[in-house]
Amino acid sequence: MYQLSRGLKTLDFAGTKETVYERGDWPLPKLQDYFKNDTLALIGYGSQGHGQGLNARDNGLNVIVGVRKDGESWKQAMEDGWVPGETLFPIEEAIKKGTIIMNLLSDAAQSQTWPQIAPLITKGKTLYFSHGFSIVYKDLTHVIPPADVDVILVAPKGSGRTVRTLFKEGRGINSSIAVFQDVTGQAKEKAIALGIAVGSGYLYETTFEKEVYSDLYGERGVLMGGIQGMFLAQYKVLRANGHSPSEAFNETVEEATQSLFPLIGEKGMDYMYNACSTTARRGALDWAPIFEAANRPVFEKLYESVKNGTETKKSLEFNGRSTYRTDLAKELKEIDEQEIWRAGKTVRSLRPDAK
Ligand SMILES: NC(=O)C1=CN([C@@H]2O[C@H](COP(=O)(O)OP(=O)(O)OC[C@H]3O[C@@H](n4cnc5c(N)ncnc54)[C@H](OP(=O)(O)O)[C@@H]3O)[C@@H](O)[C@H]2O)C=CC1
Ligand SMILES: CC[C@](O)(C(C)=O)C(=O)O
Ligand SMILES: [Mg+2]
Ligand SMILES: [Mg+2]
């Protein structure tokens, strides 16, 4: 099924050949030897900082964290065992000490802090991102790296929390890698090694542009925005037709997350369909194209909004406010207070393993 050559594999993805890189090609001694002269300076300690930083540390690499002193992340990092003055520093100090600068600040903060950070990214260092955002939308972010450093990307395709839990389970997140600037001729190899170091299972190749377009699109679509919208629409129609909250929640969310979606994850859509009744299969086969047709124009509109920078502008403006945490929390509380999610809490409390 694949050809193995110098640690890379070319696989057939539904008729398209793509090259992938796997953890198996980077045993721990090789990884540790590769980074023996490096200090990975992880700037920012949100979800990704936590997952990637702890994984790289557990892989035996020399990792330090740089965040705003006494901010929320500073406290979080200390709770995770990073020691002020030893492995935890204010941002500028960490960048000075690091050879590989892993910019894991929020996308808005990457732009805001760039004027202070840029002069510290000196020749010989490597600049690393987990998103194409700052580089691709440079007209909005003003992040333009110095010409004499490698600029690479490792973008885990999952939450930083999952980056950590999968690693601890001996599994791995899938991540994409890309090179924006290759000064040393080693940029791609470094991206692959870092991808494995932070806990990836396998890596696929992309570009900064493709990464950020697909990522912003996916999270606004099926992964987050789309699923909340779809769940809510289905739930509301059930309630409007006299169904109880129990029934509406079970038939919309609980059965999806606890029974059917894991089957898709395990063995694909046809497997899930085949695990359901012939009655369900007939109806779902008929309705799937109707949902596709209804949703397609929304997805087209969303992709355009990503590509033309509208989504980026909004994100920079909103998350660049000093009140970004409380503003987001307020809107998320509104979701939490929707009847569907209040009903969900009671449903979850009734799971035998919740007791
Ligand atoms: N979340 C995820 O799972 C994924 C994220 N990514 C990408 O990884 C990168 C990091 O994302 P994520 O881990 O979610 O982090 P967040 O977006 O949650 O950002 C959190 C970090 O940014 C810092 N920060 C925010 N504003 C400022 C500021 N003005 N000055 C200094 N620091 C600031 C916070 O520090 P403080 O506590 O001091 O405010 C905190 O350390 C982003 O590029 C994101 O797109 C990629 C894949 C998945
Ligand atoms: C789906 C949201 C995400 O893109 C991610 C976890 O991959 C993010 O930006 O957090
Ligand atoms: Mg994202
Ligand atoms: Mg993502």
Side-chain angles (χ1 to χ4, degrees):
M1 190 180 171
Y2 59 79
Q3 301 130 23
L4 181 60
S5 97
R6 289 183 310 177
L8 59 83
K9 294 177 182 66
T10 302
L11 292 175
D12 185 333
F13 288 83
T16 301
K17 296 249 188 308
E18 292 185 45
T19 299
V20 299
Y21 305 87
E22 292 183 281
R23 183 192 288 167
D25 299 318
W26 284 85
L28 213 46
K30 177 178 166 184
L31 200 64
Q32 291 171 349
D33 186 62
Y34 190 83
F35 290 114
K36 65 177 183 289
N37 297 321
D38 280 305
T39 299
L40 278 56
L42 213 108
I43 309 306
Y45 202 74
S47 175
Q48 284 299 321
H50 162 88
Q52 297 188 30
L54 294 180
N55 291 353
R57 188 172 76 180
D58 286 354
N59 274 332
L61 306 190
N62 180 24
V63 188
I64 59 172
V65 171
V67 287
R68 288 193 278 207
K69 190 142 191 304
D70 298 326
E72 198 48 45
S73 298
W74 184 277
K75 279 183 241 154
Q76 183 62 55
M78 280 180 58
E79 278 170 29
D80 287 348
W82 304 94
V83 181
E86 286 179 28
T87 52
L88 176 61
F89 301 94
I91 292 176
E92 294 182 10
E93 218 176 312
I95 297 176
K96 283 182 197 157
K97 287 182 189 296
T99 55
I100 297 173
I101 312 306
M102 301 170 70
N103 197 331
L104 296 178
L105 294 170
S106 75
D107 294 306
Q110 290 179 20
S111 167
Q112 286 181 330
T113 57
W114 186 246
Q116 290 81 55
I117 286 182
L120 306 174
I121 313 285
T122 49
K123 191 174 175 187
K125 293 189 195 278
T126 297
L127 182 57
Y128 165 112
F129 294 95
S130 284
H131 205 10
F133 192 100
S134 290
I135 295 288
V136 172
Y137 297 106
K138 64 176 188 307
D139 293 344
L140 299 167
T141 64
H142 310 295
V143 173
I144 300 170
D148 54 1
V149 300
D150 289 348
V151 182
I152 58 176
L153 168 149
V154 174
K157 295 293 119 185
S159 153
R161 304 287 151 194
T162 325
V163 169
R164 183 61 179 156
T165 49
L166 288 180
F167 177 83
K168 286 210 289 191
E169 289 166 12
R171 299 163 66 200
I173 199 88
N174 304 333
S175 304
S176 60
I177 53 157
V179 172
F180 176 70
Q181 212 165 261
D182 185 6
V183 175
T184 61
Q186 305 296 312
K188 186 166 156 188
E189 192 180 41
K190 236 182 290 177
I192 296 166
L194 282 165
I196 302 301
V198 301
S200 310
Y202 97 90
L203 305 159
Y204 66 91
E205 293 184 275
T206 187
T207 62
F208 273 60
E209 189 175 86
K210 288 273 189 314
E211 193 284 331
V212 71
Y213 286 3
S214 59
D215 189 83
L216 294 177
Y217 174 75
E219 68 201 15
R220 281 154 180 73
V222 161
L223 299 178
M224 295 172 71
I227 199 71
Q228 159 69 0
M230 185 107 168
F231 278 160
L232 203 56
Q234 170 159 318
Y235 180 92
K236 281 182 174 173
V237 170
L238 283 168
R239 292 286 290 132
N241 281 281
H243 298 264
S244 67
S246 268
E247 188 159 65
F249 189 84
N250 268 290
E251 208 56 65
T252 302
V253 180
E254 192 72 350
E255 184 167 344
T257 59
Q258 302 307 299
S259 172
L260 302 193
F261 289 3
L263 297 180
I264 305 173
E266 208 185 315
K267 289 189 180 162
M269 190 61 86
D270 73 316
Y271 180 77
M272 185 272 269
Y273 269 49
N274 276 316
C276 295
S277 65
T278 47
T279 312
R281 274 180 256 170
R282 178 67 269 139
L285 284 165
D286 292 342
W287 276 89
I290 299 170
F291 279 108
E292 184 188 343
N295 281 303
R296 180 78 188 243
V298 182
F299 282 110
E300 301 282 4
K301 193 172 160 194
L302 168 58
Y303 194 88
E304 184 50 32
S305 184
V306 167
K307 195 172 172 185
N308 68 23
T310 304
E311 298 303 311
T312 294
K313 268 185 225 134
K314 282 193 207 165
S315 174
L316 285 170
E317 191 279 316
F318 186 93
N319 293 320
R321 297 181 201 159
S322 58
T323 54
Y324 82 98
R325 274 185 198 273
T326 46
D327 292 350
L328 282 173
K330 188 164 159 263
E331 281 185 63
L332 287 175
K333 187 160 180 284
E334 282 165 21
I335 287 194
D336 193 43
E337 284 170 356
Q338 287 168 350
E339 185 194 284
I340 181 174
W341 298 115
R342 285 190 284 119
K345 276 181 199 146
T346 311
V347 172
R348 287 195 296 276
S349 74
L350 289 165
R351 291 181 194 158
D353 58 346
K355 293 205 162 76

